[in-house]
mmCIF file of all heavy atoms in Angstrom:
data_model
loop_
_atom_site.group_PDB
_atom_site.id
_atom_site.type_symbol
_atom_site.label_atom_id
_atom_site.label_comp_id
_atom_site.label_asym_id
_atom_site.label_seq_id
_atom_site.Cartn_x
_atom_site.Cartn_y
_atom_site.Cartn_z
ATOM 1 N N ALA L 500 43.945 22.124 50.335
ATOM 2 C CA ALA L 500 45.192 21.744 51.003
ATOM 3 C C ALA L 500 46.378 21.866 50.067
ATOM 4 O O ALA L 500 46.248 21.749 48.857
ATOM 5 C CB ALA L 500 45.102 20.309 51.508
ATOM 6 N N HIS L 501 47.548 22.104 50.668
ATOM 7 C CA HIS L 501 48.807 21.978 49.951
ATOM 8 C C HIS L 501 49.372 20.618 50.325
ATOM 9 O O HIS L 501 49.576 20.351 51.500
ATOM 10 C CB HIS L 501 49.805 23.054 50.390
ATOM 11 C CG HIS L 501 49.322 24.439 50.163
ATOM 12 N ND1 HIS L 501 49.165 24.959 48.912
ATOM 13 C CD2 HIS L 501 48.937 25.401 51.035
ATOM 14 C CE1 HIS L 501 48.724 26.190 49.022
ATOM 15 N NE2 HIS L 501 48.557 26.484 50.297
ATOM 16 N N SER L 502 49.588 19.755 49.328
ATOM 17 C CA SER L 502 50.129 18.454 49.703
ATOM 18 C C SER L 502 51.607 18.596 49.991
ATOM 19 O O SER L 502 52.312 19.379 49.372
ATOM 20 C CB SER L 502 49.877 17.420 48.613
ATOM 21 O OG SER L 502 50.266 17.925 47.381
ATOM 22 N N LEU L 503 52.046 17.820 50.958
ATOM 23 C CA LEU L 503 53.454 17.855 51.304
ATOM 24 C C LEU L 503 54.205 16.998 50.310
ATOM 25 O O LEU L 503 53.722 15.964 49.857
ATOM 26 C CB LEU L 503 53.656 17.301 52.718
ATOM 27 C CG LEU L 503 53.072 18.144 53.828
ATOM 28 C CD1 LEU L 503 53.206 17.424 55.151
ATOM 29 C CD2 LEU L 503 53.776 19.486 53.897
ATOM 30 N N GLN L 504 55.403 17.456 49.964
ATOM 31 C CA GLN L 504 56.247 16.691 49.064
ATOM 32 C C GLN L 504 57.019 15.696 49.909
ATOM 33 O O GLN L 504 57.815 16.088 50.741
ATOM 34 C CB GLN L 504 57.203 17.664 48.371
ATOM 35 C CG GLN L 504 57.941 17.066 47.246
ATOM 36 C CD GLN L 504 57.016 16.870 46.080
ATOM 37 O OE1 GLN L 504 56.298 17.777 45.717
ATOM 38 N NE2 GLN L 504 57.008 15.673 45.534
ATOM 39 N N LEU L 505 56.743 14.408 49.721
ATOM 40 C CA LEU L 505 57.418 13.405 50.536
ATOM 41 C C LEU L 505 58.550 12.770 49.750
ATOM 42 O O LEU L 505 58.471 12.621 48.545
ATOM 43 C CB LEU L 505 56.448 12.301 50.952
ATOM 44 C CG LEU L 505 55.193 12.733 51.671
ATOM 45 C CD1 LEU L 505 54.349 11.524 51.994
ATOM 46 C CD2 LEU L 505 55.543 13.481 52.926
ATOM 47 N N GLN L 506 59.566 12.406 50.478
ATOM 48 C CA GLN L 506 60.672 11.706 49.848
ATOM 49 C C GLN L 506 61.170 10.714 50.864
ATOM 50 O O GLN L 506 61.546 11.090 51.966
ATOM 51 C CB GLN L 506 61.775 12.696 49.521
ATOM 52 C CG GLN L 506 62.940 12.034 48.883
ATOM 53 C CD GLN L 506 63.048 12.502 47.473
ATOM 54 O OE1 GLN L 506 63.313 13.657 47.256
ATOM 55 N NE2 GLN L 506 62.806 11.622 46.530
ATOM 56 N N ALA L 507 61.126 9.424 50.504
ATOM 57 C CA ALA L 507 61.562 8.417 51.459
ATOM 58 C C ALA L 507 62.890 7.856 51.013
ATOM 59 O O ALA L 507 63.111 7.660 49.824
ATOM 60 C CB ALA L 507 60.524 7.321 51.559
ATOM 61 N N TYR L 508 63.782 7.612 51.956
ATOM 62 C CA TYR L 508 65.083 7.045 51.609
ATOM 63 C C TYR L 508 65.639 6.280 52.792
ATOM 64 O O TYR L 508 65.154 6.403 53.913
ATOM 65 C CB TYR L 508 66.055 8.139 51.162
ATOM 66 C CG TYR L 508 66.246 9.274 52.129
ATOM 67 C CD1 TYR L 508 67.311 9.300 53.006
ATOM 68 C CD2 TYR L 508 65.331 10.321 52.155
ATOM 69 C CE1 TYR L 508 67.474 10.338 53.894
ATOM 70 C CE2 TYR L 508 65.489 11.368 53.048
ATOM 71 C CZ TYR L 508 66.568 11.366 53.908
ATOM 72 O OH TYR L 508 66.712 12.401 54.795
ATOM 73 N N ARG L 509 66.642 5.491 52.526
ATOM 74 C CA ARG L 509 67.242 4.700 53.599
ATOM 75 C C ARG L 509 68.183 5.555 54.430
ATOM 76 O O ARG L 509 68.752 6.518 53.946
ATOM 77 C CB ARG L 509 67.956 3.475 53.026
ATOM 78 C CG ARG L 509 66.973 2.474 52.442
ATOM 79 C CD ARG L 509 67.644 1.187 52.049
ATOM 80 N NE ARG L 509 68.166 0.452 53.177
ATOM 81 C CZ ARG L 509 67.442 -0.372 53.942
ATOM 82 N NH1 ARG L 509 66.163 -0.554 53.661
ATOM 83 N NH2 ARG L 509 67.989 -1.008 54.947
ATOM 84 N N ARG L 510 68.328 5.131 55.662
ATOM 85 C CA ARG L 510 69.059 5.925 56.635
ATOM 86 C C ARG L 510 70.513 6.186 56.245
ATOM 87 O O ARG L 510 71.105 7.181 56.651
ATOM 88 C CB ARG L 510 69.009 5.193 57.982
ATOM 89 C CG ARG L 510 69.322 6.016 59.185
ATOM 90 C CD ARG L 510 68.984 5.250 60.440
ATOM 91 N NE ARG L 510 67.570 5.369 60.806
ATOM 92 C CZ ARG L 510 67.067 6.394 61.480
ATOM 93 N NH1 ARG L 510 67.841 7.378 61.849
ATOM 94 N NH2 ARG L 510 65.790 6.447 61.771
ATOM 95 N N ASP L 511 71.098 5.276 55.438
ATOM 96 C CA ASP L 511 72.516 5.467 55.121
ATOM 97 C C ASP L 511 72.751 6.377 53.916
ATOM 98 O O ASP L 511 73.876 6.563 53.492
ATOM 99 C CB ASP L 511 73.217 4.111 54.911
ATOM 100 C CG ASP L 511 72.524 3.264 53.869
ATOM 101 O OD1 ASP L 511 71.446 3.673 53.401
ATOM 102 O OD2 ASP L 511 73.050 2.197 53.515
ATOM 103 N N VAL L 512 71.690 6.949 53.366
ATOM 104 C CA VAL L 512 71.852 7.871 52.238
ATOM 105 C C VAL L 512 71.899 9.303 52.778
ATOM 106 O O VAL L 512 71.101 9.676 53.629
ATOM 107 C CB VAL L 512 70.692 7.725 51.242
ATOM 108 C CG1 VAL L 512 70.825 8.717 50.107
ATOM 109 C CG2 VAL L 512 70.648 6.310 50.716
ATOM 110 N N HIS L 513 72.864 10.069 52.281
ATOM 111 C CA HIS L 513 73.019 11.437 52.780
ATOM 112 C C HIS L 513 73.028 12.451 51.648
ATOM 113 O O HIS L 513 73.274 12.092 50.499
ATOM 114 C CB HIS L 513 74.324 11.569 53.573
ATOM 115 C CG HIS L 513 74.393 10.645 54.736
ATOM 116 N ND1 HIS L 513 73.878 10.948 55.970
ATOM 117 C CD2 HIS L 513 74.889 9.394 54.837
ATOM 118 C CE1 HIS L 513 74.074 9.928 56.790
ATOM 119 N NE2 HIS L 513 74.676 8.969 56.117
ATOM 120 N N SER L 514 72.818 13.703 52.006
ATOM 121 C CA SER L 514 72.922 14.842 51.074
ATOM 122 C C SER L 514 72.046 14.701 49.845
ATOM 123 O O SER L 514 72.433 15.061 48.747
ATOM 124 C CB SER L 514 74.366 15.028 50.601
ATOM 125 O OG SER L 514 75.161 15.369 51.655
ATOM 126 N N LEU L 515 70.888 14.166 50.031
ATOM 127 C CA LEU L 515 69.942 14.065 48.945
ATOM 128 C C LEU L 515 69.255 15.416 48.823
ATOM 129 O O LEU L 515 68.924 16.030 49.830
ATOM 130 C CB LEU L 515 68.922 12.998 49.306
ATOM 131 C CG LEU L 515 68.090 12.436 48.213
ATOM 132 C CD1 LEU L 515 68.990 11.714 47.245
ATOM 133 C CD2 LEU L 515 67.103 11.471 48.813
ATOM 134 N N ASN L 516 69.065 15.857 47.603
ATOM 135 C CA ASN L 516 68.507 17.182 47.421
ATOM 136 C C ASN L 516 67.215 17.070 46.625
ATOM 137 O O ASN L 516 67.237 16.672 45.473
ATOM 138 C CB ASN L 516 69.529 18.019 46.649
ATOM 139 C CG ASN L 516 69.306 19.472 46.840
ATOM 140 O OD1 ASN L 516 68.239 19.872 47.312
ATOM 141 N ND2 ASN L 516 70.290 20.264 46.470
ATOM 142 N N SER L 517 66.090 17.367 47.256
ATOM 143 C CA SER L 517 64.849 17.236 46.494
ATOM 144 C C SER L 517 64.205 18.600 46.334
ATOM 145 O O SER L 517 64.285 19.445 47.213
ATOM 146 C CB SER L 517 63.895 16.280 47.179
ATOM 147 O OG SER L 517 63.698 16.670 48.498
ATOM 148 N N SER L 518 63.588 18.819 45.193
ATOM 149 C CA SER L 518 63.007 20.122 44.932
ATOM 150 C C SER L 518 61.529 20.102 45.322
ATOM 151 O O SER L 518 60.912 19.046 45.348
ATOM 152 C CB SER L 518 63.143 20.467 43.447
ATOM 153 O OG SER L 518 62.008 20.046 42.747
ATOM 154 N N PRO L 519 60.961 21.273 45.639
ATOM 155 C CA PRO L 519 59.553 21.294 46.008
ATOM 156 C C PRO L 519 58.636 20.945 44.844
ATOM 157 O O PRO L 519 57.446 20.791 45.014
ATOM 158 C CB PRO L 519 59.332 22.739 46.485
ATOM 159 C CG PRO L 519 60.471 23.507 45.946
ATOM 160 C CD PRO L 519 61.609 22.572 45.773
ATOM 161 N N PHE L 520 59.194 20.779 43.650
ATOM 162 C CA PHE L 520 58.371 20.420 42.502
ATOM 163 C C PHE L 520 58.395 18.920 42.240
ATOM 164 O O PHE L 520 57.893 18.447 41.248
ATOM 165 C CB PHE L 520 58.831 21.177 41.252
ATOM 166 C CG PHE L 520 58.902 22.644 41.479
ATOM 167 C CD1 PHE L 520 60.104 23.286 41.655
ATOM 168 C CD2 PHE L 520 57.727 23.369 41.574
ATOM 169 C CE1 PHE L 520 60.149 24.639 41.913
ATOM 170 C CE2 PHE L 520 57.767 24.722 41.830
ATOM 171 C CZ PHE L 520 58.976 25.358 41.995
ATOM 172 N N GLY L 521 59.011 18.173 43.104
ATOM 173 C CA GLY L 521 58.959 16.727 42.987
ATOM 174 C C GLY L 521 60.221 16.095 42.454
ATOM 175 O O GLY L 521 60.428 14.910 42.596
#
Side-chain angles (χ1 to χ4, degrees):
Chain L
H501 300 291
S502 49
L503 293 174
Q504 191 73 49
L505 305 180
Q506 180 113 66
Y508 55 97
R509 292 188 66 83
R510 198 169 276 277
D511 55 354
V512 178
H513 301 274
S514 295
L515 197 64
N516 201 345
S517 54
S518 92
F520 307 104

